[in-house]
Amino acid sequence: MGVVVTLEINGRVISLPDPSGGEFNAAGDFDRLLPVSPDLVLLGRIDPYGNVKFGSSDMAAIHDEAEGLVGLAREGPERRGLLRLQVLAAYGSRIPGSVLRFLGD
């Protein structure tokens, strides 16, 4: 299944407009890209078999790291997953106390 990312506000997973259409409440399908670069200071900490969370103060950097990976992503689910991650991180970065939770297999 791979890594799944959710944005939680006050302990609740939220849904947002999907950049590809519709709505979504989780991002994923980009596991292959995580070990690509040592420049991934935050995304490089993701364990595909573990869990990690980041606060709102980290989300702008996560957005930027994901943006740097979009050009390397395969069309389809991998690219959509990174675009969704960017949306989650951009939204959460504006809400103190929000949490991006990365859940591995």
Side-chain angles (χ1 to χ4, degrees):
M1 180 163 149
V3 174
V4 175
V5 185
T6 57
L7 176 64
E8 298 176 7
I9 298 174
N10 297 323
R12 296 183 62 207
V13 174
I14 65 158
S15 294
L16 294 171
D18 192 322
S20 302
E23 289 192 355
F24 76 104
N25 63 5
D29 297 322
F30 51 81
D31 304 39
R32 176 186 73 86
L33 298 170
L34 293 179
V36 164
S37 168
D39 297 332
L40 298 177
V41 175
L42 296 173
L43 292 179
R45 293 179 27 204
I46 306 307
D47 177 356
Y49 304 102
N51 302 323
V52 66
K53 62 182 180 176
F54 296 98
S56 58
S57 62
D58 292 322
M59 291 186 203
I62 289 171
H63 175 278
D64 293 345
E65 288 183 14
E67 184 174 47
L69 293 175
V70 169
L72 302 173
R74 296 177 183 143
E75 286 297 323
E78 194 171 75
R79 187 171 191 281
R80 282 193 305 273
L82 284 174
L83 295 175
R84 288 175 178 169
L85 175 58
Q86 286 181 275
V87 169
L88 292 173
Y91 188 84
S93 70
R94 300 186 303 264
I95 302 172
S98 62
V99 173
L100 264 182
R101 188 175 306 273
F102 290 74
L103 303 169
D105 280 340

